[in-house]
Structures are given as C-alpha cells and as structure tokens.
Amino acid sequence: MIGRVNQFVIYRLRRDKKEIRALRHQSYQYLKEYGFTINSDDYVQLYLASFDPALILTPQDLRKSIDQDLPRGVTGKALETGDILALTREGISKAYYVDPDRLIPLSGFFHVTSSSTVLNANTSGYAIEGREGLWSVAEEMWIDGQNFLLMQSDEYGNEVAFAVLDSHGKTAAADTMDGFTDQVIEQIREYMHRRSTPTRQSTENADKGSDANKSSTMASKNTTKNTEAELSPVGKTEILPSGETANERGRLNWDEKKTQEARQRRKKRRKKGKLPLKGRDSVLNRLKRYQEELKKKAMAGTTA
C-alpha cells in the first residue's frame, strides 16, 4: 500500500489534433452548449508538483497559489481557461475544469488502465452479484490511485443505500446512505490492504527455497511495480520528492531554457561568420601570429 500522496497536475489540450483546436480557452458552458465532451486522451500533462496540504486547504487555494508562484516560463501562463487541474490530497484524487472564475468538478476524467475492469463513471444498468435489479453509478472516487464507485438502485433510487464497489465490481465497503464519508473511505482502504496481503504472502511462498538476498530483491521489485500501477491514473508520472517545490522545479526548467536559448544564439553567430568569444583566439595569440608573418615576409625580402 502506497503512502498518502499530495500533488497536483496541470493538463492542457493537445496542439497536434486539429479537430480540438477550437476548444482551446473555451468555458465549460461553451462545451455544454455545443455538445463537446471532455476526453483525457485530448490532453497532455503540462506540469506536476507536490504541495503542502496544511497550506492548501481548498482547490481554489491551490489555484491562487499556482497563479502567484508557478513560473510563467514553464507553461506560458500558469493556468488557462480550458485546462484541467487534477488534485490529489492525502491519496484522494479529483479533477477540475478551469473556468475563468471557478473550478468545475469533473467525473470520469481519469483512466482505468486494467483490461479486467467492468465499471467506470458512465456505467448504468449494471447487475450486481447477489442483489436485485439493476444499478448505475451515482458517484466515483479515486483513492490511492484506484477507482471506487457508489452504485444507486435504478428502481428505488435514494430510498435504499448505495452499494460501494471497486472498478472490478467487487464490494469494497458497507452500504451507505451518505456517500463517500470518512468512515467509508477508511473501510475502502482496509479492503485495499486486505486484498494486497494475499499477493505478498503468495510471493513469499513462491520464493521459499531461495536465499534471503534473492527474496529481498524480488519483494523490492514487486513493491515498485505495484506502486507504479496504482499511481498511473494521476498523470502517469512519478511523484516529485517531497522536498522539491513547484518553484524549485520551475527554476530548473527555466535554467535549462536559458541554456538552450544561449546555445541557439551561438549557432546563429557562427552562420553569419562571427564566433562567440569562447571560440576566438586570445589577443596575445593573434599578435604572436602577426609578428611571425612579418618576420617571414622580412626574411623573404632579404633572400630576394
């Protein structure tokens, strides 16, 4: 089980798809009026950084912090209308559409990468094993990189409790009338822990007869593999070290940009027949060559 993650990711519409260029900088209301849907495949990850949950209490707090502190050289503008801001606080991930004056919660933005999943945010008319009637997704939540869903009875609606399932259709917590409460989230995390325990035990049994070093190495590799799979829905990238802030990451990118620009300027000067100072001989070397040329000419004249 991975640690509690606190990070944010900025996504922006891709530039290489002509059919979505008209959607850049458009409000959420514009997309609704003209029937456009938000598809995560149309976006690229622009920026990822960790944040301090003690200082950032709400998504709006994070937006203000990004607008004030994120280096403009990294993204052109810190946040633009039409961007997606994905926020993971204490391992719970949510996505927001960036409107001019607000952040609009989105459902179904993150991908479920496993081919064995049967449920997503748009599932309806689903038959739950051991329950009567059909059920549809009322709400989803990403917890520690995994997808969980509140299923509502199509026949009885709010009159009966929600069923809490994972994306494979398995019961992950006790039924609830109140949605994803802290108690339900804690039950889900206990379920995740129980589900991962047999995997570790079976791995240990399979490794019996091997020496201790080999077993330790295999366990380490398996842990890394599981961590990457759990984090993949949130940006599909590694988490920044906790000591590296958004400003520090931005300064590194800015320095790299300046170095690249200086390299391009030197190339242009070479094309025009001008060398930068680093490529020129010193004044003493040029004077020495000039004196040698004069000496050669003088010797040539004396011989003649």
Side-chain angles (χ1 to χ4, degrees), residues 6-284:
N6 293 287
Q7 68 177 28
F8 69 91
V9 187
I10 300 173
Y11 297 94
R12 186 161 292 170
L13 277 171
R14 299 172 54 165
R15 295 180 178 272
D16 57 348
K17 296 180 70 173
K18 295 181 180 179
E19 59 271 24
I20 62 172
R21 288 179 182 173
L23 304 183
R24 294 182 66 84
H25 312 303
Q26 298 293 350
S27 67
Y28 186 75
Q29 184 62 33
Y30 176 90
L31 269 61
K32 287 185 62 177
E33 288 180 0
Y34 291 93
F36 292 109
T37 57
I38 298 173
N39 187 344
S40 58
D41 291 333
D42 294 334
Y43 290 79
V44 294
Q45 181 179 304
L46 197 66
Y47 193 82
L48 180 148
S50 57
F51 70 91
D52 186 348
L55 300 177
I56 303 297
L57 301 180
T58 68
Q60 284 292 350
D61 289 342
L62 178 59
R63 180 176 187 172
K64 291 178 182 178
S65 176
I66 293 172
D67 287 339
Q68 292 171 0
D69 298 334
L70 194 64
R72 295 295 194 256
V74 174
T75 64
K77 291 183 179 179
L79 276 176
E80 297 179 356
T81 299
D83 288 348
I84 305 296
L85 178 61
L87 171 63
T88 301
R89 173 187 291 275
E90 299 296 327
I92 298 176
S93 304
K94 297 181 180 180
Y96 301 88
Y97 189 88
V98 178
D99 239 22
D101 55 353
R102 57 180 179 154
L103 295 173
I104 301 173
L106 296 177
S107 179
F109 180 77
F110 302 117
H111 271 307
V112 179
T113 56
S114 173
S115 59
S116 63
T117 57
V118 295
L119 299 176
N120 59 51
N122 300 316
T123 299
S124 61
Y126 179 74
I128 302 177
E129 185 177 355
R131 296 176 184 261
E132 296 181 358
L134 299 178
W135 300 70
S136 298
V137 173
E139 186 180 349
E140 71 163 355
M141 179 173 284
W142 287 81
I143 302 175
D144 299 335
Q146 298 186 40
N147 194 216
F148 295 90
L149 308 109
L150 291 181
M151 305 297 294
Q152 186 179 62
S153 170
D154 290 350
E155 182 176 359
Y156 298 105
N158 294 330
E159 296 178 7
V160 297
F162 297 104
V164 185
L165 306 183
D166 65 12
S167 59
H168 304 281
K170 304 296 183 181
T171 300
D175 291 1
T176 175
M177 296 292 294
D178 302 317
F180 285 111
T181 62
D182 291 343
Q183 182 179 3
V184 171
I185 293 173
E186 188 60 33
Q187 291 179 19
I188 290 174
R189 285 195 161 120
E190 291 175 359
Y191 162 78
M192 295 168 68
H193 178 66
R194 291 195 306 271
R195 191 176 60 175
S196 65
T197 301
T199 301
R200 290 197 297 269
Q201 291 176 344
S202 61
T203 301
E204 292 172 359
N205 292 334
D207 288 342
K208 280 184 178 180
S210 301
D211 62 273
N213 290 335
K214 182 177 179 181
S215 298
S216 176
T217 302
M218 290 297 295
S220 176
K221 289 181 178 178
N222 287 335
T223 301
T224 302
K225 182 177 180 182
N226 290 336
T227 300
E228 291 173 350
E230 289 173 347
L231 290 178
S232 61
V234 186
K236 297 184 180 180
T237 185
E238 63 182 9
I239 302 172
L240 296 180
S242 58
E244 185 176 2
T245 65
N247 283 339
E248 291 169 341
R249 176 66 177 268
R251 282 196 293 271
L252 290 174
N253 291 342
W254 183 252
D255 291 342
E256 291 173 0
K257 183 179 178 182
K258 287 293 186 182
T259 302
Q260 185 177 2
E261 289 176 350
R263 190 179 297 115
Q264 291 174 348
R265 287 196 297 270
R266 287 198 296 271
K267 287 181 179 179
K268 289 181 180 179
R269 286 197 292 269
R270 288 191 183 97
K271 289 180 180 180
K272 295 179 180 180
K274 299 179 180 179
L275 286 174
L277 291 176
K278 288 184 179 180
R280 301 177 187 175
D281 286 341
S282 67
V283 175
L284 290 176

